[in-house]
Amino acid sequence: PQIIPFEQGFRMVSICAAEHHTLVLNHKGQVVSFGRNDFGNAGIGNFDETVSNPTTISSLSKIVSIHAFEHSS
């Protein structure tokens, strides 16, 4: 386990943890991801092995619900 830094004022609405990556939905309808990304499961547009810091998925907006699975979200 480790502490994950979020920007000041970030308010979580929902969090979804898959086997190796995590998604967080904030109060603005934005989705942030971090964790393993070797299958593109973090959704940030590349296949870097690990996303260490919370990264906003810029292609998503006004999201109301999130789900995460083993290799997809």
Side-chain angles (χ1 to χ4, degrees):
Q2 67 184 42
I3 295 173
I4 303 296
F6 286 92
E7 62 187 48
Q8 187 171 352
F10 187 93
R11 292 187 310 195
M12 291 183 199
V13 172
S14 181
I15 187 166
C16 240
E19 186 172 356
H20 297 289
H21 72 288
T22 301
L23 300 177
V24 179
L25 176 64
N26 73 9
H27 67 289
K28 296 177 183 178
Q30 299 168 315
V31 180
V32 173
S33 68
F34 54 93
R36 278 186 52 185
N37 188 45
D38 44 348
F39 294 100
N41 33 339
I44 59 171
N46 63 43
F47 293 91
D48 291 344
E49 192 168 313
T50 300
V51 179
S52 300
N53 294 314
T55 303
T56 301
I57 301 175
S58 59
S59 61
L60 300 177
S61 63
K62 300 180 183 178
I63 303 301
V64 296
S65 179
I66 55 175
H67 299 278
F69 306 96
E70 183 178 2
H71 297 297
S72 62
S73 304

